[in-house]
Amino acid sequence: MQFDTPATTNPIDQLKVVGKPIHRIDGELKTTGRAMYAYEWRDPNTRYAYGYPVGSAIAKGQITAIDSAAAKKAPGVLAVVTTLDVGNLQKGKLNTAKLFGGSEIQHYHQAVAVVVAETFEQARAAAAMIKVDYAPQKGAFDLRAELATAQSPDPSTEPDSSSGDFQAAFSTAEVTLDAEYTTPDQSHAMMEPHASIAAWNGEEVTIWTSSQMIDWWRTDLATTLGVDKEKVHLMSPFIGGGFGGKLFLRADAVLAAFAAKTVGRPVKVALPRTMISNNTTHRPATIQRIRIGADRDGRITAIGHESWSGDLAGGGPETAVMQTRLLYAGENRMTAMKLATLDLPEGNAMRAPGEAPGLMALEIAVDEIAEKLGMDPIEFRIKNDTQVDPENPERPFSHRDLVGCLKLGAEKFGWDKRASAGSRREGKLMIGMGVAAAFRNNLVMPSGARVKLDKEGIVTVETDMTDIGTGSYTIVAQTTAEMMGVGIDKVAVQLGDSRFPVSAGSGGQFGANSATSGVYAACVKLREAVASKLGFNSKDVIFENEEVRSGNRAVGLAVAAGPDGLVGEDTMEWGDLTKTHQQSTFGGHFVEVGVDIATGETRIRRMLAVCAAGRILNPITARSQVIGAMTMGVGGALSEELAVDTRHGFFVNHDLAGYEVPVHADIPHQEVIFMDETDPYSSPMKAKGVGELGLCGVSAAIANAIYNATGVRVRHYPITLDKLIGELPDVA
Ligand code: MOS
């Protein structure tokens, strides 16, 4: 099905199942430990072997020799497979850094060997006996030191933008702000580590893994192993979080495949937690310069945003300026990115790539210019709202209710009680409130599904869509139930298997809307098959109460299916509606903090997110996405930072003791409100994404709340005690 005209009324609009607060249909499997995650997959008749990876001890250079003699003789060891043994391998299309193979080292903890043994402990012990000799080379590890060498990225994908005359307008503006902001390297820090089990059957390999994007992995794994894609079978039914860290094929799958081939048995490989931050990808650090010029009435006359980031050669920039092209009005504008070559581990997508770090900077800058103007920061944002793409005024937003989010949020949060900066105290705590706009584009991806109706009246959905903890199983079931006129208990959902039609996968907050649209398209096909078998006119049939009706005829779905059942399969493809209309999601984040006047310790007291993201398919799973994202924003504001060793080129705090994500006790009352809206331009579902929107702007709202509490403006994340303590008022 091609979606190229705005949606009109369709069966989803009945909202008997879609839009209802239905608990996760996979919840019981998860809470009882029966959901099989990648490393846990087990066939009782198989004796699995265990692979333990070895990572490079240098960041850049060549391996000259690997001595694995001692490891091979260690108890229980079945084999050692080294990067020299397998030779140069072809890299997957979507990987910047190679994952395994050959003598060249591109980054620290690049996989150099895997030790396979009868038990995990034996493999780990033997891995410590591998000796690798290196010829190290000098690398570049410090973004700030490389600013002069940074280049413009690929203009076809990350072009500079400009409209009007930014320089002239900024230099003559009545009120101006020109400030630098920085965001650090961040780690996805998902709960489940990257893990794979590989089992060969002749020339075919089956991999149970933890992947957000089944088809991307399958394609790249086939390339790297040098086998036909059809010979690779990937399974990823349950995923313990990804946040972008599992979008692209990772080393555990490659190591497991080589290890299993070598020992002739299925092999399990998980990346140890201490290897994840340097072996896999991360969100790259940014240095951002923002300039805003406004007239005395608070109208933006000039807005400029530049960002510098780094990546391995062949990689791309963190696209932190993108939202600035769309979020606020203003005639004279520019954005630009510069990319430095760094020999740190590969930088790549992490939840809301671009917008998350971009808004961490932009939404402090907006708070700052509003203060210079003597305006309330919400009033300033409302004044500079735009209903059209500011660079192309003839191109409207499909639907944009940023103003509604900010107004409703202000009312619900008690924004009118906000005091002036540094003026509210409760005992030893300085109290402040902050706000930020949330903005994230709504992407759509082709998505396929197969829907089968059987003689019991059960509808089974098959799609390679993944559920990374987001609720895909549930919203796919809801969509199917709504389309076929059955209860959710009559729907079975099968996800994450490469034998199923290729879906959008989970990424870029496109999963929910795209994947359910693919299921919608497949259900339309199944409805047609049912109607045609019964000789009904498919235009006027009604699917309701497990029956299909036309005029005064009604047939039960189970009967209609017959002994052989019926199948519908289709892929949702997208026309030009994302080009003719700017599709984005919007929100307002509100935060109240308390900062200890003596220690500078910041505690979040209250958080509210108001989101405008089209139809909400399931308020429970959507809320869960947003509160999870808000929590990630707390980490980004207050604690998360991969500390770079700029001498040796690696992330020092490569575990969850040193890389501090918020824990339960750090998170106070959180509230989420969804605006009641639909966006007919987005899909037949009229839905958009929320999983990344929930993160966008949160950290800036916290930074702004800290400023409101203390009068101290911190522009460099994370806002740790040391950045506050010297600036806090004296206490006797
Ligand atoms: Mo997302 S960063 O595309 O998982």
Side-chain angles (χ1 to χ4, degrees):
M1 179 180 289
Q2 172 93 3
F3 183 73
D4 47 17
T5 53
T8 52
T9 302
N10 67 46
I12 297 298
D13 295 319
Q14 301 173 94
L15 298 181
K16 290 178 187 162
V17 197
V18 169
K20 291 280 184 282
I22 294 172
H23 286 282
R24 284 160 203 270
I25 61 171
D26 52 328
E28 195 178 319
L29 282 180
K30 287 185 172 171
T31 53
T32 56
R34 286 177 296 148
M36 292 278 206
Y37 289 82
Y39 201 77
E40 300 171 324
W41 198 270
R42 57 181 174 268
D43 162 20
N45 302 314
T46 301
R47 269 176 62 234
Y48 294 95
Y50 294 81
Y52 196 90
V54 179
S56 168
I58 65 162
K60 188 178 165 74
Q62 297 286 327
I63 294 178
T64 52
I66 300 180
D67 178 358
S68 44
K72 280 179 175 156
K73 278 186 258 156
V77 170
L78 300 166
V80 175
V81 183
T82 76
T83 189
L84 301 181
D85 298 336
V86 301
N88 280 317
L89 302 174
Q90 202 176 332
K91 200 163 54 96
K93 196 170 57 157
L94 297 167
N95 294 120
T96 302
K98 66 172 179 172
L99 301 177
F100 192 52
S103 61
E104 186 198 359
I105 296 300
Q106 297 174 326
H107 65 89
Y108 188 82
H109 271 179
Q110 179 179 317
V112 299
V114 58
V115 179
V116 193
E118 291 289 351
T119 70
F120 171 82
E121 290 76 9
Q122 288 168 335
R124 183 176 58 183
M129 300 174 189
I130 305 267
K131 286 204 184 66
V132 184
D133 292 332
Y134 302 96
Q137 287 159 14
K138 199 170 140 17
F141 308 120
D142 183 350
L143 175 61
R144 176 114 16 216
E146 298 302 319
L147 288 189
T149 68
Q151 303 283 320
S152 293
D154 181 353
S156 67
T157 48
E158 281 99 19
D160 291 353
S161 74
S162 133
S163 51
D165 186 342
F166 170 78
Q167 293 293 349
F170 183 73
S171 62
T172 56
E174 289 170 337
V175 179
T176 60
L177 170 88
D178 181 351
E180 184 194 276
Y181 305 85
T182 60
T183 62
D185 295 286
Q186 292 181 332
S187 188
H188 307 87
M190 72 292 279
M191 188 103 75
E192 181 202 25
H194 304 74
S196 296
I197 302 174
W200 289 86
N201 181 5
E203 291 307 298
E204 302 202 3
V205 65
T206 299
I207 312 262
W208 288 267
T209 192
S210 188
S211 159
Q212 296 176 226
M213 305 291 293
I214 299 291
D215 195 59
W216 289 4
W217 283 56
R218 186 187 190 205
T219 307
D220 279 353
L221 185 59
T223 302
T224 301
L225 298 180
V227 301
D228 277 355
K229 188 173 160 182
E230 282 60 44
K231 301 261 192 276
V232 178
H233 174 205
L234 219 71
M235 295 279 292
S236 190
F238 295 102
I239 297 133
F243 309 118
K246 296 171 180 171
L247 284 171
F248 315 111
L249 177 67
R250 302 258 48 98
D252 54 295
V254 178
L255 296 176
F258 278 105
K261 185 116 202 172
T262 304
V263 300
R265 272 167 64 181
V267 174
K268 298 183 170 208
V269 177
L271 296 186
R273 179 64 65 183
T274 48
M275 244 180 101
I276 291 177
S277 9
N278 287 289
N279 178 268
T280 70
T281 61
H282 65 282
R283 189 201 298 284
T286 66
I287 297 172
Q288 302 180 48
R289 181 188 188 193
I290 297 179
R291 284 173 287 175
I292 303 175
D295 64 22
R296 284 256 163 246
D297 294 336
R299 236 172 278 280
I300 295 174
T301 55
I303 184 162
H305 193 163
E306 294 154 275
S307 176
W308 289 259
S309 61
D311 202 358
L312 290 165
E318 180 66 31
T319 54
V321 305
M322 292 312 227
Q323 72 289 318
T324 307
R325 299 176 63 174
L326 291 161
L327 188 46
Y328 297 112
E331 211 162 292
N332 304 289
R333 19 198 342 122
M334 65 81 67
T335 67
M337 286 178 275
K338 288 277 192 295
L339 176 62
T341 301
L342 294 180
D343 299 295
L344 290 172
E346 176 178 338
N348 216 315
M350 179 168 141
R351 200 175 201 170
E355 279 98 330
L359 286 165
M360 286 168 83
L362 178 65
E363 289 299 287
I364 297 182
V366 165
D367 204 66
E368 294 198 63
I369 185 98
E371 188 183 41
K372 285 189 172 204
L373 286 156
M375 275 174 86
D376 180 277
I378 293 178
E379 187 193 333
F380 177 81
R381 287 180 175 89
I382 292 173
K383 185 157 230 165
N384 289 289
D385 187 52
T386 173
Q387 291 295 315
V388 297
D389 173 352
E391 292 175 10
N392 292 297
E394 70 284 0
R395 189 169 165 269
F397 282 91
S398 60
H399 186 76
R400 169 170 167 136
D401 196 13
L402 174 61
V403 170
C405 292
L406 292 170
K407 284 186 172 165
L408 183 62
E411 182 197 318
K412 298 284 182 195
F413 201 68
W415 186 252
D416 57 345
K417 311 239 168 23
R418 178 173 173 264
S420 61
S423 70
R424 187 172 155 205
R425 282 279 294 276
E426 284 179 20
K428 64 175 188 168
L429 295 179
M430 296 175 284
I431 311 296
M433 287 187 212
V435 67
F439 174 93
R440 170 70 174 155
N441 279 334
N442 183 59
L443 311 174
V444 288
M445 293 274 278
S447 198
R450 183 157 57 225
V451 193
K452 299 172 168 172
L453 172 66
D454 72 15
K455 62 178 191 311
E456 317 291 338
I458 301 292
V459 189
T460 301
V461 191
E462 297 176 340
T463 163
D464 86 355
M465 180 60 189
T466 48
D467 189 328
I468 59 176
T470 38
S472 309
Y473 278 102
T474 311
I475 57 173
V476 162
Q478 288 174 272
T479 304
T480 309
E482 196 79 75
M483 289 299 288
M484 300 314 298
V486 301
I488 201 161
D489 57 321
K490 292 285 187 283
V491 180
V493 181
Q494 307 265 311
L495 302 182
D497 186 326
S498 61
R499 290 170 299 194
F500 300 156
V502 175
S503 73
S506 300
Q509 80 169 13
F510 51 66
N513 180 48
S514 302
T516 55
S517 295
V519 172
Y520 172 97
C523 286
V524 168
K525 282 275 162 62
L526 179 58
R527 287 166 62 111
E528 286 166 5
V530 171
S532 128
K533 184 172 175 201
L534 298 173
F536 288 179
N537 177 355
S538 69
K539 293 276 176 301
D540 68 8
V541 290
I542 293 167
F543 287 77
E544 201 171 57
N545 301 328
E546 301 175 22
E547 284 183 344
V548 52
R549 291 204 313 272
S550 176
N552 55 7
R553 286 182 63 198
V555 180
L557 276 185
V559 173
D564 298 333
L566 289 167
V567 180
E569 180 171 342
D570 202 3
T571 295
M572 181 59 80
E573 313 267 4
W574 308 94
D576 283 340
L577 291 177
T578 54
K579 299 192 186 78
T580 57
H581 290 72
Q582 175 58 40
Q583 295 187 22
S584 305
T585 59
F586 304 89
H589 284 291
F590 295 79
V591 178
E592 184 177 281
V593 300
V595 181
D596 187 301
I597 196 164
T599 66
E601 180 185 20
T602 299
R603 286 276 158 189
I604 310 287
R605 286 159 54 108
R606 293 191 292 138
M607 305 179 82
L608 166 67
V610 183
C611 300
R615 171 174 285 151
I616 299 304
L617 301 173
N618 180 328
I620 292 180
T621 54
R623 176 180 184 276
S624 169
Q625 280 299 290
V626 176
I627 63 172
M630 290 157 80
T631 304
M632 196 177 241
V634 173
L638 300 180
S639 61
E640 291 185 40
E641 172 175 26
L642 284 168
V644 182
D645 183 321
T646 55
R647 302 159 306 166
H648 302 298
F650 69 100
F651 298 128
V652 181
N653 49 343
H654 47 77
D655 60 28
L656 291 178
Y659 187 85
E660 295 177 333
V661 298
V663 296
H664 208 90
D666 294 317
I667 300 301
H669 183 76
Q670 291 178 316
E671 199 178 336
V672 181
I673 299 172
F674 293 110
M675 301 301 271
D676 187 7
E677 63 172 44
T678 55
D679 191 338
Y681 288 85
S682 69
S683 76
M685 306 302 294
K686 304 173 187 165
K688 296 194 276 199
V690 295
E692 298 187 328
L693 178 69
L695 170 61
C696 292
V698 179
S699 301
I702 294 167
N704 295 338
I706 291 172
Y707 175 76
N708 181 245
T710 62
V712 181
R713 187 65 80 177
V714 180
R715 301 184 183 88
H716 306 286
Y717 293 98
I719 307 173
T720 42
L721 320 189
D722 52 301
K723 292 172 189 165
L724 286 170
I725 201 161
E727 311 294 322
L728 294 178
D730 286 337
V731 272

mmCIF file of all heavy atoms in Angstrom, residues 212 243-244 247 349-351 353 507-508 692, ligand 1:
data_model
loop_
_atom_site.group_PDB
_atom_site.id
_atom_site.type_symbol
_atom_site.label_atom_id
_atom_site.label_comp_id
_atom_site.label_asym_id
_atom_site.label_seq_id
_atom_site.Cartn_x
_atom_site.Cartn_y
_atom_site.Cartn_z
ATOM 1 N N GLN A 212 17.793 -4.168 17.039
ATOM 2 C CA GLN A 212 16.654 -3.291 16.783
ATOM 3 C C GLN A 212 16.155 -3.420 15.339
ATOM 4 O O GLN A 212 15.009 -3.107 15.052
ATOM 5 C CB GLN A 212 17.045 -1.825 17.038
ATOM 6 C CG GLN A 212 17.414 -1.520 18.475
ATOM 7 C CD GLN A 212 17.899 -0.086 18.688
ATOM 8 O OE1 GLN A 212 18.893 0.136 19.337
ATOM 9 N NE2 GLN A 212 17.199 0.905 18.133
ATOM 10 N N PHE A 243 18.255 1.767 22.512
ATOM 11 C CA PHE A 243 18.493 3.217 22.468
ATOM 12 C C PHE A 243 19.382 3.636 21.299
ATOM 13 O O PHE A 243 20.034 4.679 21.342
ATOM 14 C CB PHE A 243 19.079 3.724 23.794
ATOM 15 C CG PHE A 243 18.288 3.296 25.002
ATOM 16 C CD1 PHE A 243 18.856 2.494 25.982
ATOM 17 C CD2 PHE A 243 16.969 3.664 25.146
ATOM 18 C CE1 PHE A 243 18.113 2.080 27.087
ATOM 19 C CE2 PHE A 243 16.220 3.256 26.244
ATOM 20 C CZ PHE A 243 16.795 2.461 27.213
ATOM 21 N N GLY A 244 19.440 2.821 20.261
ATOM 22 C CA GLY A 244 20.292 3.133 19.108
ATOM 23 C C GLY A 244 21.576 2.308 19.106
ATOM 24 O O GLY A 244 22.223 2.176 18.074
ATOM 25 N N LEU A 247 21.173 -0.709 16.659
ATOM 26 C CA LEU A 247 20.644 -0.473 15.313
ATOM 27 C C LEU A 247 21.455 -1.223 14.263
ATOM 28 O O LEU A 247 20.921 -1.641 13.239
ATOM 29 C CB LEU A 247 20.716 1.026 14.965
ATOM 30 C CG LEU A 247 19.690 1.965 15.589
ATOM 31 C CD1 LEU A 247 20.086 3.410 15.301
ATOM 32 C CD2 LEU A 247 18.296 1.691 15.040
ATOM 33 N N ALA A 349 24.180 6.758 16.266
ATOM 34 C CA ALA A 349 22.885 7.160 16.791
ATOM 35 C C ALA A 349 22.673 6.710 18.235
ATOM 36 O O ALA A 349 22.937 5.573 18.595
ATOM 37 C CB ALA A 349 21.780 6.569 15.921
ATOM 38 N N MET A 350 22.218 7.622 19.045
ATOM 39 C CA MET A 350 21.654 7.289 20.344
ATOM 40 C C MET A 350 20.367 8.103 20.471
ATOM 41 O O MET A 350 20.306 9.231 19.999
ATOM 42 C CB MET A 350 22.652 7.631 21.467
ATOM 43 C CG MET A 350 22.126 7.327 22.855
ATOM 44 S SD MET A 350 23.452 7.415 24.096
ATOM 45 C CE MET A 350 22.569 8.184 25.457
ATOM 46 N N ARG A 351 19.381 7.516 21.054
ATOM 47 C CA ARG A 351 18.034 8.092 21.218
ATOM 48 C C ARG A 351 17.946 9.587 20.867
ATOM 49 O O ARG A 351 18.566 10.421 21.523
ATOM 50 C CB ARG A 351 17.585 7.868 22.655
ATOM 51 C CG ARG A 351 16.073 7.955 22.841
ATOM 52 C CD ARG A 351 15.697 7.613 24.252
ATOM 53 N NE ARG A 351 14.309 7.201 24.344
ATOM 54 C CZ ARG A 351 13.774 6.668 25.433
ATOM 55 N NH1 ARG A 351 14.486 6.493 26.508
ATOM 56 N NH2 ARG A 351 12.509 6.309 25.454
ATOM 57 N N PRO A 353 19.135 11.085 18.051
ATOM 58 C CA PRO A 353 20.413 11.619 17.585
ATOM 59 C C PRO A 353 20.183 12.990 16.954
ATOM 60 O O PRO A 353 19.220 13.189 16.237
ATOM 61 C CB PRO A 353 20.886 10.591 16.550
ATOM 62 C CG PRO A 353 19.676 9.809 16.161
ATOM 63 C CD PRO A 353 18.772 9.830 17.358
ATOM 64 N N GLY A 507 13.658 2.287 15.653
ATOM 65 C CA GLY A 507 14.674 3.338 15.630
ATOM 66 C C GLY A 507 14.007 4.645 15.303
ATOM 67 O O GLY A 507 12.878 4.676 14.794
ATOM 68 N N GLY A 508 14.719 5.723 15.595
ATOM 69 C CA GLY A 508 14.290 7.050 15.163
ATOM 70 C C GLY A 508 12.851 7.409 15.497
ATOM 71 O O GLY A 508 12.241 8.208 14.806
ATOM 72 N N GLU A 692 11.432 9.220 21.334
ATOM 73 C CA GLU A 692 12.577 10.128 21.386
ATOM 74 C C GLU A 692 12.147 11.525 21.823
ATOM 75 O O GLU A 692 12.894 12.222 22.510
ATOM 76 C CB GLU A 692 13.259 10.160 20.020
ATOM 77 C CG GLU A 692 13.776 8.781 19.660
ATOM 78 C CD GLU A 692 14.609 8.731 18.393
ATOM 79 O OE1 GLU A 692 14.374 9.503 17.461
ATOM 80 O OE2 GLU A 692 15.510 7.880 18.340
HETATM 81 MO MO1 MOS B 1 17.309 5.232 17.641
HETATM 82 S S1 MOS B 1 18.926 6.309 18.136
HETATM 83 O O1 MOS B 1 17.272 5.385 15.930
HETATM 84 O O2 MOS B 1 17.365 3.689 18.263
#
